[in-house]
């Protein structure tokens, strides 16, 4: 019997929940669930090469009690590429501008992988906006130094670098829809493509993966990576003061334990919880466990 979370997302009228916001003439695509039901807002930021669809299972459940917003960052999904939004700082400014356009004064921000970097930059630069911060598939700290110090980064984190290089093969251009559907419904193909990132690729929901892969690959991916030549997106972590929770998979190849330790040392308001049996995508690998941890953090007002 399907889990209720996996049924509920299919009953949502996603077209009605989808809207565009124009930032300096460029389209930002987003979904907005329960927009008038509550002042409590949760914003979801996807990883590299991805789109808002990576949270398709999570959004309806969060929208039971919160306004749930997920956007395609500039140059990803159905959002237009913007040179101003190519860096992690630029993407953080774009998220802040979307909040202004939607009249969202304060929100919990959930960032996955690359989105976790954007979320941390937003928490650093706009502490008035970020009420709480959730990091999953991260924090990504070691890999942000790859462009500036490739030899040192590879020496310190060879598995993380090797996994990122494998990811580079898919991030630049969108995956053809027909191929995406075939991969999503093939346990063997999922194992080959996603094996480096997740603990049990054959257990992923094929229908969810079809949604995820529908917008896999993006023109903004390589420019975002190249922007780390000019600046360190992991700088000034000590400026994060809001309650912060890392929800991670112990098998995450892109965010090793040393990254978590470094983050926790720099951010006294942060704590970490592991979801056993998951890797880089806890919210896709074990959505029920991820939701339980997220809801617990949202309800914890101590």
């Amino acid at each position: 019997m399907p889990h209720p979370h996996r049924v509920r997302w299919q009953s949502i009228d996603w077209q009605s929940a989808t809207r565009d916001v124009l930032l300096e003439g460029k389209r930002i695509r987003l979904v907005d669930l329960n927009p008038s039901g509550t002042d409590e807002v949760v914003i979801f930021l996807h990883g590299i090469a991805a789109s808002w669809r990576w949270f398709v299972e999570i959004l309806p459940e969060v929208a039971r009690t919160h306004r749930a917003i997920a956007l395609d960052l500039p140059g990803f999904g159905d959002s237009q590429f913007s040179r101003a939004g190519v860096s992690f700082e630029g993407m953080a400014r774009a998220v802040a501008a979307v909040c202004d356009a939607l009249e969202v004064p304060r929100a919990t921000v959930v960032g996955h992988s690359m989105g976790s970097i954007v979320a941390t930059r937003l928490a650093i630069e706009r502490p008035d906006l970020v009420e709480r911060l959730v990091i999953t598939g991260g924090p990504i700290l070691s890999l942000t130094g790859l462009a500036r110090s490739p030899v040192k980064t590879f020496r310190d984190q060879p598995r993380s670098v090797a996994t990122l290089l494998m990811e580079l093969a898919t991030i630049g251009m969108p995956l053809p829809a027909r191929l995406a559907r075939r991969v999503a419904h093939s346990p063997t193909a999922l194992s080959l493509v996603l094996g480096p990132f997740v603990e049990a690729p054959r257990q992923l929901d094929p229908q969810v993966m079809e949604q995820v892969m529908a917008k896999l690959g993006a023109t903004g991916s390589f420019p975002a990576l190249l922007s780390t030549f000019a600046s360190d997106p992991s700088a000034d972590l000590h400026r994060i003061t809001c309650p912060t929770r890392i929800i991670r998979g112990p098998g995450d190849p892109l965010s090793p334990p040393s990254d978590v330790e470094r983050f926790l040392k720099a951010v006294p308001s942060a704590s970490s919880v592991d979801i056993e049996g998951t890797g880089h995508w806890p919210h896709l690998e074990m959505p029920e466990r991820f939701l339980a941890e997220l809801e617990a953090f949202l309800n914890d007002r101590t």
Side-chain angles (χ1 to χ4, degrees), residues 71-114:
L71 59 139
D72 290 343
L73 292 164
F76 296 86
D78 290 313
S79 291
Q80 291 178 296
F81 179 82
S82 167
R83 293 191 180 277
V86 72
S87 68
F88 294 107
E89 292 82 357
M91 285 188 276
R93 288 192 293 271
V95 176
V98 168
C99 288
D100 290 341
L102 299 180
E103 298 183 341
V104 173
R106 203 156 170 77
T108 294
V109 181
V110 180
H112 173 255
S113 194
M114 180 194 77

Side-chain angles (χ1 to χ4, degrees), residues 15-297:
Q15 185 172 358
S16 296
T18 302
R19 59 182 295 188
D20 292 336
V21 171
L22 289 181
L23 301 182
E24 299 181 352
K26 300 291 186 178
R27 179 185 69 249
I28 297 292
R29 176 66 50 82
L30 60 89
V31 295
D32 190 356
L33 298 181
N34 195 20
S36 58
T38 175
D39 293 330
E40 297 287 328
V41 182
V42 183
I43 296 174
F44 293 85
L45 306 178
H46 60 77
I48 201 164
S51 70
W52 70 262
R53 291 167 178 81
W54 286 59
F55 299 103
V56 70
E57 278 187 289
I58 305 301
L59 289 165
E61 303 308 316
V62 173
R64 294 178 187 271
T65 54
H66 294 71
R67 182 180 184 182
I69 300 169
L71 59 139
D72 290 343
L73 292 164
F76 296 86
D78 290 313
S79 291
Q80 291 178 296
F81 179 82
S82 167
R83 293 191 180 277
V86 72
S87 68
F88 294 107
E89 292 82 357
M91 285 188 276
R93 288 192 293 271
V95 176
V98 168
C99 288
D100 290 341
L102 299 180
E103 298 183 341
V104 173
R106 203 156 170 77
T108 294
V109 181
V110 180
H112 173 255
S113 194
M114 180 194 77
S116 75
I117 303 175
V118 178
T120 57
R121 299 314 307 172
L122 187 63
I124 290 167
E125 301 298 336
R126 290 290 306 271
D128 60 306
L129 176 59
V130 181
E131 180 178 9
R132 288 174 171 247
L133 175 63
V134 177
I135 291 171
T136 188
I140 305 294
L141 299 181
S142 301
L143 286 175
T144 61
L146 183 60
R148 298 182 305 280
S149 305
V151 175
K152 181 180 185 301
T153 304
F154 181 75
R155 184 181 65 242
D156 293 345
Q157 300 295 343
R159 184 190 179 204
S160 297
V161 173
T163 305
L164 177 63
L165 292 177
M166 292 182 65
E167 189 176 28
L168 292 178
T170 61
I171 66 175
M173 296 298 292
L175 193 67
R178 190 173 181 179
L179 178 59
R181 284 193 297 271
R182 292 185 65 180
V183 172
H185 289 272
S186 168
T188 301
L190 284 175
S191 295
L192 288 172
V193 175
L194 305 181
F197 304 96
V198 303
E199 291 292 280
R202 290 177 178 270
Q203 295 180 18
L204 294 169
D205 186 317
Q207 291 179 312
V208 172
M209 294 313 300
E210 185 175 340
Q211 291 293 314
V212 163
M213 292 189 169
K215 292 293 178 178
L216 185 63
T219 56
S221 297
F222 286 111
L225 290 175
L226 293 175
S227 74
T228 60
F229 274 108
S231 62
D232 181 2
S234 67
D236 299 323
L237 292 176
H238 65 278
R239 291 170 54 190
I240 298 175
T241 58
C242 64
T244 301
R245 180 66 50 83
I246 300 170
I247 305 175
R248 70 183 301 270
D252 191 341
L254 296 177
S255 181
S258 58
D259 278 11
V260 178
E261 294 168 7
R262 177 180 164 191
F263 190 95
L264 294 176
K265 184 177 180 179
V267 184
S269 62
S271 60
S272 176
V273 61
D274 285 355
I275 298 181
E276 296 295 335
T278 67
H280 191 55
W281 302 338
H283 63 295
L284 288 170
E285 297 174 71
M286 292 191 181
E288 297 83 13
R289 283 289 310 281
F290 178 84
L291 275 166
E293 295 294 349
L294 176 59
E295 291 169 358
F297 181 61

